[in-house]
């Protein structure tokens, strides 16, 4: 007697949206096909997952890679198989309750290990642009250790049951110990002209209002709201100190890319968006509805110096003033492909754990590669692909990504993660992004901060 289980993989449906002369791949999960998802290259296929029983020796063949000799006693084999089936039933029921998916389309991690990152609910990625930007600052190891200890508290605060305040207090004390013992190393990395500002921020981090000492007191009274506010204040101070420690790029650009504009730090672009159909924007913070709204985007030259540099120059040149916007289910795309503006910059992204960008290559998220600047954040800003080659970004066409967890893997990663050059995040006006409609206009785009970090090639 033998039984055979063969699992094949099918792609998630993607829709290629064509606007102007450029194209942007956007995932639009209008319903999964019958079968199970495979990775984006379509090369990962699980076949020949077979359980066979022959004579007195039983073997389990998993993906043609492993053979495990089973007990020669057939009764023991069937008993074990029944226990396994009961255990699997419990796991499936628990999974269906926790993650309401159609079980016919569900892929257990052990059957599809190549997609473990996409489908693991334990995958940790930044959920806001502010957090992603904070993690991307190339600060020294002491400040990163302080930051990591405090970021852990953010995850602990999400626990809906009894919160582990003891662990939170230990995390803050660890951060306080590092800050106290490594004061010279922390302040020593700050340029001389910024030392005074750095000293003020350092004192604020330790003993100021919203500093680490205050945070410990909030944790002791077990008030989650006060802890959340105090934590945000401490992390903001940490980020300011880290930015002082990073006056420029922490790596050398390849010689062939020195011909492009480049941003050697952070910049801020302020967009004024206007409705032309007579409707209005409704700000969530109250106030009168208006036909115009303001959106602020922080550009990260630390992680994408070429892409953000090209974008900053386009803004200065007025390339986006008067440009219309197009909307899809998960993106707001600038409706322009300008012949006389912009550079065709190579696809650019830094994988987590590395210190310099990769060029002309996408990341294999299925194999665990995650970018420092993830796409899977609501309000992420990225360049569309070049019409001629996906190894390059469009010279001028960009998009706001409207991340939707419902159209992602269990780990909260977009199925297009690692495919586009993300160069910044929306930090002001996120609430009005869903109110933007096709035909609305970028009335103006201005580089309000960071022009001193923009380096232009000769002749620009």
């Amino acid at each position: 007697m033998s039984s055979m289980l063969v699992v094949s993989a099918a792609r998630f449906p993607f829709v290629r949206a064509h606007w102007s002369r450029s194209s942007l791949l956007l995932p639009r999960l209008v319903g999964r096909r019958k079968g199970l998802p495979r990775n984006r290259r379509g090369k990962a296929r699980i076949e020949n997952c077979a359980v066979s029983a022959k004579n007195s020796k039983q073997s389990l063949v998993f993906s043609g890679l492993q053979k495990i000799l089973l007990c020669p006693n057939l009764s023991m084999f069937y008993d074990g198989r029944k226990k396994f089936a009961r255990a699997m039933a419990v796991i499936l029921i628990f999974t269906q309750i926790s993650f309401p998916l159609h079980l016919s389309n569900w892929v257990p991690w052990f059957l599809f290990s190549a997609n473990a990152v996409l489908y693991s609910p334990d995958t940790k990625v930044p959920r806001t642009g502010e957090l992603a930007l904070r993690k991307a600052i190339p600060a020294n190891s002491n400040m990163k250790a302080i930051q990591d200890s405090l970021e852990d508290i953010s995850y602990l605060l999400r626990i809906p049951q009894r919160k582990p305040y003891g662990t939170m207090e230990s995390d803050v004390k660890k951060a306080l110990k590092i800050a106290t013992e490594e004061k010279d190393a922390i302040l020593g990395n700050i340029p001389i002209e910024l030392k005074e500002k750095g000293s003020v921020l350092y004192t604020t981090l330790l003993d100021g209002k919203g500093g680490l000492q205050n945070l410990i007191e909030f944790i002791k009274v077990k008030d989650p709201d006060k802890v959340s506010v105090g934590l945000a204040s401490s992390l903001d101070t940490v980020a300011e100190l880290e930015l002082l420690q990073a006056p420029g790029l922490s790596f050398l650009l390849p010689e062939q890319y020195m011909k492009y504009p480049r941003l050697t730090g952070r910049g801020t672009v302020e967009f004024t968006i206007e409705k032309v159909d007579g409707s209005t924007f409704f700000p969530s913070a109250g106030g009168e509805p208006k036909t115009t709204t303001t959106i602020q985007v922080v550009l990260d030259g630390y992680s994408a110096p070429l892409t953000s540099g090209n974008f900053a120059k386009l803004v200065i040149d007025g390339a986006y003033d008067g440009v219309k916007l197009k909307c899809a289910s998960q993106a707001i795309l600038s409706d322009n492909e300008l012949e006389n503006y912009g550079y065709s910059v190579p696809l650019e992204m830094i994988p987590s754990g590395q210190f310099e960008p990769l060029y002309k290559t996408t990341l294999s998220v299925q194999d665990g590669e995650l970018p420092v600047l993830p796409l899977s954040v609501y309000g992420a800003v990225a360049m569309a692909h070049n019409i001629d080659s996906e190894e390059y970004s469009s010279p001028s066409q960009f998009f706001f990504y409207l991340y939707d967890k419902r159209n992602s893997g269990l780990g909260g990663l977009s199925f297009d993660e690692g495919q586009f050059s993300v160069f910044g995040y929306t930090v002001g006006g996120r609430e009005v992004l869903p109110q933007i409609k096709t035909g609305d206009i970028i009335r103006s785009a201005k580089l309000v901060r960071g022009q001193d970090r923009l380096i232009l090639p000769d002749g620009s």
Side-chain angles (χ1 to χ4, degrees):
M1 177 182 294
S2 66
S3 63
M4 178 74 70
L5 170 66
V6 178
V7 181
S8 64
R11 286 189 187 275
F12 279 99
F14 288 89
V15 172
R16 183 179 292 273
H18 294 272
W19 290 298
S20 186
R21 294 180 57 233
S22 182
S23 62
L24 166 67
L25 272 177
L26 293 174
R28 301 181 66 181
L29 270 75
V30 295
R32 293 174 176 169
R33 298 177 183 174
K34 292 182 178 179
L36 300 172
R38 65 183 175 183
N39 70 4
R40 57 182 169 81
R41 293 189 177 90
K43 295 180 180 179
R45 183 181 296 272
I46 299 175
E47 297 176 343
N48 300 326
C49 180
V51 177
S52 62
K54 187 175 182 180
N55 300 325
S56 61
K57 292 185 177 181
Q58 312 301 321
S59 64
L60 172 66
V61 182
F62 181 76
S63 301
L65 298 177
Q66 294 178 335
K67 287 189 176 183
I68 302 175
L69 193 63
L70 299 181
C71 176
N73 188 315
L74 283 177
S75 63
M76 290 181 66
F77 167 74
Y78 289 122
D79 287 342
R81 192 170 66 173
K82 288 178 181 179
K83 291 179 181 178
F84 178 79
R86 286 195 294 269
M88 281 303 302
V90 172
I91 293 172
L92 291 174
I93 291 171
F94 173 78
T95 303
Q96 178 68 354
I97 292 172
S98 302
F99 309 102
L101 303 172
H102 297 294
L103 287 180
S104 60
N105 290 331
W106 183 71
V107 185
W109 67 267
F110 54 85
L111 285 181
F112 203 15
S113 57
N115 275 336
V117 173
L118 277 174
Y119 292 98
S120 169
D122 295 325
T123 301
K124 287 186 178 181
V125 292
R127 299 304 179 189
T128 66
E130 289 83 356
L131 175 54
L133 289 166
R134 193 161 59 235
K135 284 181 169 291
I137 303 172
N140 71 21
S141 58
N142 294 312
M143 288 305 302
K144 282 303 179 186
I146 293 171
Q147 181 183 328
D148 289 343
S149 293
L150 297 179
E151 299 287 10
D152 284 341
I153 299 174
S154 297
Y155 290 104
L156 296 176
L157 281 171
R158 297 177 191 169
I159 298 174
Q161 297 84 15
R162 186 175 179 179
K163 301 186 186 301
Y165 289 104
T167 304
M168 295 182 196
E169 185 175 350
S170 296
D171 285 336
V172 180
K173 287 181 176 179
K174 177 182 177 182
L176 190 58
K177 184 174 185 291
I178 295 171
T180 303
E181 294 180 353
E182 302 297 335
K183 177 181 178 179
D184 292 342
I186 290 171
L187 297 178
N189 279 31
I190 298 175
I192 296 176
E193 64 273 16
L194 299 173
K195 289 281 189 186
E196 184 177 351
K197 184 177 180 180
S199 295
V200 172
L201 286 171
Y202 176 83
T203 302
T204 301
L205 177 62
L206 267 63
D207 302 309
K209 184 178 179 181
L212 298 179
Q213 295 286 4
N214 266 7
L215 183 54
I216 290 176
E217 294 304 315
F218 294 151
I219 291 173
K220 285 181 177 179
V221 299
K222 300 182 178 180
D223 186 328
D225 293 332
K226 288 185 177 180
V227 172
S228 181
V229 172
L231 177 64
S233 177
S234 294
L235 284 170
D236 285 344
T237 305
V238 167
E240 289 187 70
L241 267 170
E242 289 179 336
L243 287 172
L244 293 184
Q245 293 178 337
L249 299 184
S250 59
F251 52 85
L252 295 176
L253 285 169
E255 184 64 32
Q256 66 267 33
Y257 297 140
M258 300 300 285
K259 62 182 180 181
Y260 297 109
R262 53 196 182 276
L263 188 66
T264 60
R266 292 279 164 83
T268 302
V269 172
E270 187 172 279
F271 292 93
T272 300
I273 311 295
E274 181 180 3
K275 286 192 171 293
V276 295
D277 61 358
S279 60
T280 56
F281 291 103
F282 292 88
S284 64
E288 291 294 324
K290 296 181 180 180
T291 57
T292 61
T293 190
T294 300
I295 294 173
Q296 281 196 336
V297 171
V298 172
L299 314 182
D300 183 31
Y302 294 125
S303 302
L306 303 185
T307 310
S308 58
N310 177 57
F311 187 81
K313 184 179 186 302
L314 286 167
V315 169
I316 291 174
D317 291 344
Y320 296 112
D321 296 350
V323 168
K324 290 183 179 180
L325 296 170
K326 291 251 184 188
C327 298
S329 62
Q330 285 189 258
I332 301 169
L333 187 78
S334 64
D335 188 17
N336 69 317
E337 183 64 29
L338 306 172
E339 296 288 348
N340 299 322
Y341 285 102
Y343 292 76
S344 188
V345 174
L347 197 68
E348 176 183 47
M349 63 189 81
I350 299 182
S352 294
Q354 296 193 26
F355 302 99
E356 57 186 354
L358 298 178
Y359 292 99
K360 298 185 182 181
T361 181
T362 59
L363 299 186
S364 179
V365 174
Q366 291 90 335
D367 294 331
E369 289 183 327
L370 294 175
V372 168
L373 299 181
L375 180 68
S376 306
V377 175
Y378 193 88
V381 185
M383 298 304 293
H385 284 156
N386 188 290
I387 188 172
D388 298 319
S389 172
E390 292 189 356
E391 292 184 351
Y392 287 83
S393 294
S394 165
S396 59
Q397 199 166 31
F398 77 98
F399 63 95
F400 296 95
Y401 190 67
L402 307 181
Y403 167 76
D404 188 343
K405 188 176 182 179
R406 295 170 298 180
N407 292 342
S408 64
L410 291 179
L413 293 176
S414 164
F415 293 105
D416 269 345
E417 187 63 80
Q419 304 301 300
F420 295 93
S421 290
V422 177
F423 61 92
Y425 295 94
T426 306
V427 297
R430 270 191 299 258
E431 70 280 0
V432 299
L433 287 179
Q435 301 177 41
I436 295 174
K437 305 300 179 186
T438 296
D440 291 346
I441 290 176
I442 299 175
R443 179 55 60 201
S444 68
K446 298 178 181 178
L447 185 66
V448 297
R449 190 176 297 110
Q451 191 161 348
D452 58 324
R453 297 293 187 95
L454 179 61
I455 299 176
L456 301 176
D458 294 338
S460 295

